C-alpha cells in the first residue's frame, strides 16, 4: 500500500536532535484529500496525467528522470554519429543515419513529456549545457572502430530495452506512452547491431578480433549503465512505490546478463568476465564485480569522453541558434498575418 508523501516531513525523525525536530507543515484538508486521491490512483495502478494534482516530490522525480533520459538520447547520438561519414557501405550508412535520427526523436518526445510537468525545454537544456544535468554514463566511452557501432546496437540498445520496457507501465501517462514507441524503435536498433556484428563475425580474422575487442571494452560499462546496486540506489525505493520504476537496477542487470549470454554464444564472442557462469541453484548467471569507482567518476564528469561530448553538444546548440531564431520569426510573422486577416 502506498502511503508516504515526501512533501510531509516525518516528525518522528530519529536523526534530528530533540528540540530541532522538523515541525510538520500544516496540511490543509484540501491537500490531504488530493494526496489521498493521488495515493489511491497509484495503489490502483491508474495513470497520473499532467492536469492531475501530484505531490511536488513526484513531479521533481519525474522531471529528473525524464530529463536525464532525454539528455541521454541526445548525447547518445554522438558516439555513433561519429561513424556516419565512415560507414562501410551505403546500406550500413542508411541504417545508421535512421538509427541516430531515431535517438534524436526519442530525446524530443522525452523533452515534451518532461515539459508537461512544468519545466521548459530551455531550462533542461541549460542544465545539460552547464554540466549540471546527468545523462547516461555509457555515452562517455569512445567509438574506436566500426565494430563499436554494432556493439552499441546490440548491447547498449539491448540494455536500454531491458530498462525501458517496464517504463511503458510507468504511472505517469505521458512518459509511459512515449516509451511505447521508443521501445519499438530500440528493438530495431538492437537487431541491426546484432546483424551487423554477425556479418563482421563471418568476415576475416581481423574483423572477428575487432568485434571481440569492442565487446571487451563495452561489456562492463553496459552492465554499470543499469545504475548503482539496489542497496546504493537512493531513488529506487520511492520510485518503485510511485510506480515510476517497476523493476530494480540489480534485477534488470541480471535479466540483461541472462538474456545476453546465449546471444554472445550465437555471435561467437566471449564476454570478458572469468566469473560469468550459470548457477544451477539460482537458475541465473553469476557474474563478476563491476567497477563502481569508474562508474561514479564517469557520472561525475571524469569519464573518457565527458568533456568532448559536452563541448560537441554545446557547439551544436549554439550553431543551431539561427534555426530557432528563424522559426520564432516565422511564427511571429504568421501570427501578425492571422491577426491582420481577422481584423
Ligand atoms: N548514468 O538512485 P538511482 C539509451 C544516477 S537511453 C548516469 O538508481 P534512479 C538509448 C541517477 O540519475 C539510456 N547517471 O537513480 C540509446 C542518480 O542521480 P541523481 C538512459 C546514473 O533514477 C541507446 C544516481 O545515479 N536511460 O541508452 C546512471 O532511480 C543507444 C543514483 O541512482 C534512461 O535514462 C547512469 N547509467 O535510477 C541512445 C532510462 N545510473 O539524479 C543512443 C530512464 C544511475 O539522484 C544510443 N532512467 N545514475 O543525481 C532510469 O531508468 C533510471 O533513472 C536509472 C537510474 C535506472 C538510470
Amino acid at each position: 500500500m502506498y502511503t508516504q508523501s515526501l512533501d510531509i516531513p516525518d516528525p518522528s525523525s530519529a536523526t534530528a536532535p530533540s528540540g530541532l525536530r522538523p515541525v510538520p507543515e500544516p496540511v490543509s484538508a484540501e491537500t490531504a484529500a488530493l494526496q489521498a486521491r493521488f495515493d489511491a490512483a497509484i495503489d490502483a495502478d491508474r495513470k497520473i496525467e499532467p492536469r492531475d494534482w501530484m505531490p511536488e516530490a513526484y513531479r521533481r522525480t519525474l522531471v529528473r528522470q525524464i530529463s536525464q533520459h532525454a539528455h541521454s538520447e541526445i548525447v547518445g547520438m554522438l558516439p555513433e554519429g561519429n561513424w556516419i561519414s565512415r560507414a562501410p557501405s551505403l546500406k550500413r550508412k542508411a541504417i545508421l543515419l535512421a538509427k541516430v535520427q531515431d535517438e534524436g526523436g526519442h530525446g524530443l518526445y522525452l523533452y515534451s513529456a518532461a515539459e508537461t510537468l512544468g519545466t521548459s525545454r530551455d531550462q533542461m537544456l541549460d542544465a545539460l549545457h552547464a554540466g549540471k544535468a546527468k545523462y547516461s554514463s555509457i555515452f562517455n566511452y569512445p567509438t574506436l572502430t566500426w565494430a563499436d557501432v554494432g556493439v552499441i546496437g546490440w548491447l547498449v540498445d539491448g540494455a536500454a530495452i531491458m530498462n525501458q520496457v517496464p517504463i511503458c507501465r510507468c504511472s505517469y501517462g505521458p512518459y509511459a506512452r512515449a516509451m511505447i514507441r521508443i521501445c519499438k524503435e530500440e528493438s530495431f536498433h538492437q537487431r541491426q547491431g546484432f546483424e551487423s556484428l554477425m556479418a563482421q563475425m563471418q568476415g576475416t580474422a581481423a574483423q572477428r578480433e575487432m568485434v571481440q575487442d569492442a565487446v571487451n571494452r563495452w561489456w562492463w560499462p553496459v552492465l554499470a549503465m543499469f545504475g548503482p546496486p539496489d542497496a546504493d540506489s537512493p531513488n529506487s525505493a520511492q520510485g518503485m512505490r510511485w510506480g515510476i520504476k517497476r523493476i530494480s537496477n540489480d534485477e534488470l542487470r541480471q535479466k540483461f546478463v541472462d538474456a545476453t549470454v546465449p546471444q554472445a554464444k550465437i555471435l561467437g564472442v566471449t564476454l570478458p568476465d572469468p566469473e560469468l557462469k550459470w548457477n544451477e541453484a539460482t537458475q541465473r548467471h553469476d557474474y563478476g564485480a563491476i567497477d563502481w569507482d569508474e562508474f561514479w567518476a564517469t557520472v561525475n564528469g571524469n569519464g573518457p569522453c565527458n568533456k568532448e561530448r559536452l563541448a560537441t553538444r554545446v557547439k551544436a546548440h549554439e550553431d543551431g541558434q539561427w534555426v530557432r531564431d528563424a522559426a520564432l520569426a516565422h511564427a511571429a510573422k504568421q501570427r501578425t498575418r492571422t491577426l491582420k486577416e481577422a481584423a
Side-chain angles (χ1 to χ4, degrees), residues 64 68 103 134 137 163 186 225 227 233-235 245 249:
R64 177 185 67 78
Q68 285 178 5
E103 308 297 3
K134 289 193 170 70
S137 49
N163 164 270
E186 300 291 25
M225 197 183 150
S233 162
N235 302 303
K245 254 175 135 156
N249 298 358

Side-chain angles (χ1 to χ4, degrees), residues 145-168:
T145 69
W146 172 249
D148 290 44
V149 172
V151 170
I152 290 180
W154 175 41
L155 295 181
V156 177
D157 284 276
I161 294 168
M162 193 58 86
N163 164 270
Q164 290 172 187
V165 166
I167 306 177
C168 297

Side-chain angles (χ1 to χ4, degrees), residues 314-330:
V314 169
K315 182 174 183 313
H317 188 71
E318 285 169 356
D319 289 352
Q321 185 60 47
W322 70 271
V323 180
R324 292 188 294 280
D325 291 345
L328 285 173
H330 181 66

Side-chain angles (χ1 to χ4, degrees), residues 102 105-106 109 164 168 175-189:
D102 283 353
H106 299 173
Y109 316 149
Q164 290 172 187
C168 297
Y175 192 23
R177 290 188 287 274
M179 290 318 299
I180 293 170
R181 176 161 173 185
I182 291 178
C183 285
K184 284 186 182 157
E185 291 177 350
E186 300 291 25
S187 186
F188 146 69
H189 298 168

Side-chain angles (χ1 to χ4, degrees), residues 12 31 37 39 44 62 86 88 90 105 111 124 136 143-144 182 197 202 215 225-226 258 266 271 282 292 294 343:
S12 63
T31 308
R37 198 184 315 158
D39 293 348
L62 282 167
R86 288 178 282 156
L90 185 58
Y111 284 128
M124 292 183 264
S136 183
T143 40
L144 303 180
I182 291 178
L197 293 177
Q202 285 159 5
V215 171
M225 197 183 150
F226 289 92
D258 291 337
I266 295 171
L271 296 172
T282 59
W292 292 111
E294 177 183 321

Side-chain angles (χ1 to χ4, degrees), residues 49-111:
E49 296 297 339
R51 289 188 186 154
D52 294 340
W53 182 91
M54 60 187 82
E56 267 318 299
Y58 176 82
R59 185 186 299 277
R60 272 200 310 275
T61 297
L62 282 167
V63 170
R64 177 185 67 78
Q65 180 167 326
I66 303 173
S67 63
Q68 285 178 5
H69 193 166
H71 298 329
S72 303
E73 301 280 359
I74 298 291
V75 178
M77 298 166 78
L78 302 175
E80 289 167 285
N82 190 28
W83 280 88
I84 291 173
S85 58
R86 288 178 282 156
S89 69
L90 185 58
K91 174 182 141 187
R92 295 289 171 202
K93 183 175 175 131
I95 294 172
L96 186 56
L97 259 175
K99 179 191 189 297
V100 172
Q101 273 181 349
D102 283 353
E103 308 297 3
H106 299 173
L108 300 186
Y109 316 149
L110 289 165
Y111 284 128

